[in-house]
Amino acid sequence: MRPRRLPREGEATLVEHLDELRGRILLALAAVAVATAVAFAFHDHILEWLARPLPPEHRHLAAFGVTEPFSVSVAVSLYAGLLFAVPVILWQVWSFLAPALDAAAERRILGLAVFGLVLAAAGLVFGYGILLPRAVHWLTNYDNVHFHLLIRASSYYSFVVSVLLGVVCVFELPLVVLAAVSLGILTSGALRRNRRRGYFLVAVAALALPGPDPVTTLLELLPMWALFEGSIWLAVLAERRAARLSVVGAQA
């Protein structure tokens, strides 16, 4: 049975809140399980798609041990299931928290959530279409004289997932800045005054992200700098909009 969303203006007991929370957690887990099962049914296409950034001669990956082909297929299917179930999970989280918010806050958070999903999709496109092929090309062609490259399946797919997840986190930087500005933790003036320090901290974060080679690090750093600069101007626009709304509210 689908959990009932509590009304915003009504009151609920602790038992009712816990019952709703339990139902939403079960629904989210069911969505992950169904999405993982569907992904496993098509795991050969997913594995092929993830291996496409590799040069053609390296796309047939090596497995060490009789269980590795199955365990890698299950792990990749689980990652894909979690990705496909994200909308359901986010909707359950939102439905549980929304009754505690007023209508204006609900619209703002919904807007930020949509913005975050767009940024995440852009991060996946950038990571898979631009970063991974160039990083993998550099890594697989590094020092062919001294090394005979044999790519292990589990290591490669873990590398791909970690890089894509890192890029998605990088692309969420504007959302984090906007949320901090909305909460009053940061201001656009402080961001502009500390721009150089911010660029340095972004570079340190790029070095800490997955990617052991300079190509991956550089390709992560450049969009991070661009996103940080864009975040500053988004903060300026957000503050101006908040000021206009406060003036309109005062006049009303």
Side-chain angles (χ1 to χ4, degrees), residues 27-60:
L27 190 57
L29 291 175
V32 173
V34 172
T36 301
V38 173
F40 186 78
F42 297 95
H43 73 273
D44 52 338
H45 299 289
I46 299 174
L47 294 176
E48 181 183 351
W49 182 74
L50 292 176
R52 199 169 296 168
L54 286 167
E57 64 272 17
H58 292 299
R59 290 179 185 171
H60 197 73

Side-chain angles (χ1 to χ4, degrees), residues 5-232:
R5 178 171 174 174
L6 297 175
R8 179 183 290 114
E9 65 279 0
E11 294 184 359
T13 64
L14 178 61
V15 173
E16 289 176 322
H17 281 297
L18 292 176
D19 185 62
E20 183 194 7
L21 179 61
R22 179 179 60 85
R24 297 198 180 280
I25 290 175
L26 291 176
L27 190 57
L29 291 175
V32 173
V34 172
T36 301
V38 173
F40 186 78
F42 297 95
H43 73 273
D44 52 338
H45 299 289
I46 299 174
L47 294 176
E48 181 183 351
W49 182 74
L50 292 176
R52 199 169 296 168
L54 286 167
E57 64 272 17
H58 292 299
R59 290 179 185 171
H60 197 73
L61 304 177
F64 296 89
V66 294
T67 61
E68 186 164 338
F70 177 74
S71 63
V72 169
S73 299
V74 171
V76 170
S77 300
L78 179 59
Y79 290 134
L82 286 170
L83 177 63
F84 297 145
V86 162
V88 177
I89 296 172
L90 291 180
W91 181 254
Q92 296 309 312
V93 173
W94 169 250
S95 297
F96 182 73
L97 298 177
L101 305 171
D102 56 39
E106 186 174 347
R107 287 193 297 270
R108 287 197 301 270
I109 294 177
L110 277 177
L112 289 174
V114 172
F115 184 47
L117 288 175
V118 171
L119 290 174
L124 283 176
V125 171
F126 175 83
Y128 180 80
I130 297 177
L131 191 151
L132 267 179
R134 287 159 177 80
V136 167
H137 175 78
W138 189 87
L139 289 169
T140 54
N141 288 282
Y142 176 77
D143 201 352
N144 292 330
V145 176
H146 296 93
F147 299 97
H148 174 68
L149 185 63
L150 189 63
I151 304 176
R152 184 172 183 175
S154 58
S155 299
Y156 172 74
Y157 289 117
S158 296
F159 170 76
V160 169
V161 170
S162 62
V163 168
L164 292 179
L165 182 61
V167 174
V168 169
C169 292
V170 164
F171 271 68
E172 295 297 329
L173 178 61
L175 181 65
V176 174
V177 172
L178 280 179
V181 170
S182 300
L183 294 173
I185 301 173
L186 288 175
T187 64
S188 61
L191 289 171
R192 283 182 288 182
R193 287 193 302 271
N194 296 280
R195 184 181 267 111
R196 291 183 180 180
R197 187 178 301 174
Y199 274 84
F200 173 75
L201 293 175
V202 167
V204 172
L207 292 172
L209 287 172
D213 61 284
V215 175
T216 305
T217 301
L218 180 62
L219 287 174
E220 288 175 337
L221 178 58
L222 293 177
M224 286 180 73
W225 276 341
L227 289 167
F228 176 72
E229 186 65 29
S231 300
I232 296 175

